[in-house]
Amino acid sequence: MTDTIKLYPAKPAKVYFYGTCLVDLFYPDAGLAGVQLLEREGIDVLFPQDQTCCGQPAFSSGFNDQARDVVVPQLDLFPGDWPIVVPAGSCGGMMRKHYPELFAGTPWQAKAEALASRVFELTDFLLNVCHIRLEDRGEPVRVAMHTSCSARREMGVGDIGPTLLAQLQQVEVVEQARATECCGFGGTFAVRHPEVSEAMVADKTTAIEEAGADTFLATDCGCMMNIAGYAEKQQRSLKGQHIASFLWQRVGGDA
Amino acid sequence: MSTDTAHSDVQQFHPRVRSALENPQIRSNFRSAMDGLMGKRQAAFEDWELETLRDLGAAVRLRALSRLPELLVQLETNCQLQGIRVHWAETGDQACEIIRDICKARDARRVIKGKSMVSEEMELNHFLEAEGIEALESDLGEYIVQLAEETPSHIIMPAIHKNTDEISDLMHEKTGTERSRDVGYLTASARQQLRDKFMQADVGISGVNFAVAETGTLCLVENEGNGRLTTTVPPCHIAVTGIEKVVEHLEDVAPLLALLTRSATGQHITTYFNMISGPRKADEKDGPEEVHLVLVDSGRSSIYQDQELLDTLRCIRCGACMNHCPVYARVGGHAYGTTYPGPIGKILMPHLLGLENTRDLPSASTLCGACGEVCPVRIPIPKLLQRLRKESVDGDRLRPSVVPGHGVKRTLKEQASWNGYRWLASDPGRYRLAGWMMTRFRALTPRNVGPWTRYRTAPRPAAKTLHQLMAARRREEQS
Ligand code: SF4
């Protein structure tokens, strides 16, 4: 009954990269950094141009028909038997955990299940498949880490970010209060229940600031948009960065 | 914030949330209490045993539910063999009437109550009072809530929304107790007042934590001894419970009890654990003359019809899901306007009251998964929330669904926006074009996008999409 144990493949020659719509439209540098980190490991990264959105917004609002219609054409975008790497725990969780549910009992079930089993969250893939080694080329810096709830609880990668950051000698990761608590994003939750969402993101922002960091790293752009957007609206100095962008910069990649 | 009759104003979720969030006392009372409870739970489980116990707990509950109808019959037979009279109630109202009739037959005027969430669910106290029967709560938290004429804000700690000062003021005003910050003093004073009531009570009413089918044993978990007094001192004891509380064997109780107390309050064991197996026997010196068991359905058998929703009935009412819920910790129990607040309330109440009366509950979650992660019987709460969201918007209202009020949130506007999303995201060419337009005209991005920008800045489209960047890289490679 406990979650099935994740099996990691040997480091492949190629991977597919699923950028996610949020990264695509708002934070492409995070996606590009992810691609470059994978290439740095000697992996050939394939980016199917016909990818759009993973369907999660509709799915988590209860509109499964719409979600399926968005996903179906994309099920054929990854024909080779390569892993599919996603720079987001929540879209990764949608693909890995929820596609089998969404397509259960439909003609696409087998295809969806096969795809789901090949999906990996980016940092997990870098650490546990690529066994990445990072040499820190940056200045000393203090950061906080915010792992999304779906990265932590759906993808089970809660301790990967901190483990990767521990390889960087000049980076100090501060301990924040209630680090595992949700930032209040929750997709449409933030607009359906704006007041509760605000109360949550306010606490998260304060916890990070009080820990003594003026930059936080996120596994997911949704959380980042929420926390950094809140700090900006409040004219606070806290900045957010996707962990892929940060890692790429630290190893000397161009931003 | 008084939510006197919880059901009537269940629709007012947003206003109640706002007023709770604006109340610093409520915010800090809940936050500190929940932090404490989370810490205690964590300390109570050895790492190695937690997941194993949860597997066991889930298996025990699943096994019991898979045989629920026959176990209930077995429970009835075994209870009757020991002299416990068993009553079946389809609705909460029927259960109230059954209890009233038992009281009337004994000419009972005074009832003392142990903690029972099912009795809250059916609003038993109001019902009895209207019938001229006094019902006094004897659990300290319930006693405080009753003095304040409120409803519980937490299923394990009903008065958790009040701090010591508030309780002291309340007791002073209602019972003349001297004001004090000494919890021991306040408790002793309440105990003094309750002692006499136990002696005078004609009937004791309690809940049930586990009902063992094989032996006809009713188990009651408590810390204050009020449960034992309620079930032994008055000449008549009425136990009332939902039909899902049944387990197969006596051995099944051990893992569930271990999980319940650790998950709820971080205790390895409670001060009292009562196993009730019938009225006083001829050679016994104490105990009630009469014991009744009222089994309440109230929507549960309809949940039982659905293979997925059935998991809702595994619940052992430990409260861990609310203790760990970031929404509950901020708005508190009364904001939900339902008997059961927090994550379990969100997955249970739509069945009891209908989605039309609980329309804001399934969406009031970020699906962060903290509840599912701690639930001792592994109820997949986020998955069930998702299911109820689907039920809320599921088209055809004429199609029978086990969830009352299904389709109630399917508005044209909501539908239109998701159809728009589908139109855009199901066609790669269209999607790329939209991305290109967004980046091209990024200067025109609206600054104000509804509730999002009330508290945050709007995200700005990038100069180039990842699609564009990757396509450009391809072209470079090829040239
Ligand atoms: S749903 Fe699980 S965590 Fe919540 S009260 Fe029930 S048993 Fe406890």
Side-chain angles (χ1 to χ4, degrees), chain A residues 195-196 199, chain B residues 1 13 16-21 26-27 30 153 325-336 342:
Chain A
E195 291 89 4
V196 195
Chain B
M1 198 173 37
F13 184 68
R16 278 194 310 265
V17 160
R18 272 192 291 273
S19 80
L21 288 173
I26 294 225
R27 292 280 300 267
F30 275 99
S153 60
C325 176
V327 175
Y328 178 90
R330 287 175 178 81
V331 304
H334 286 153
Y336 294 78

Side-chain angles (χ1 to χ4, degrees), chain A residues 13-17 34-36 38-39 43-47, chain B residues 470:
Chain A
K14 296 181 188 199
V15 299
Y16 291 107
F17 197 78
V35 168
Q36 287 165 315
L38 290 163
E39 287 172 344
I43 295 174
D44 189 11
V45 180
L46 308 169
F47 184 86
Chain B
M470 292 304 287

Side-chain angles (χ1 to χ4, degrees), chain B residues 387 390-391 394-403 406:
Chain B
R387 168 69 190 276
K390 197 168 67 143
E391 291 287 337
D394 227 12
D396 193 355
R397 287 187 208 195
L398 300 174
R399 189 180 59 86
S401 162
V402 298
V403 189
H406 76 104

Side-chain angles (χ1 to χ4, degrees), chain B residues 155 263 312 314-322 343-344 347 371 374-379 381:
Chain B
I155 63 170
S263 304
T312 315
R314 280 192 223 167
C315 176
I316 57 171
R317 305 281 189 266
C318 71
C321 55
M322 53 200 81
I344 179 62
I347 58 169
C371 49
V374 295
C375 176
V377 287
R378 294 195 190 280
I379 300 177
I381 301 173

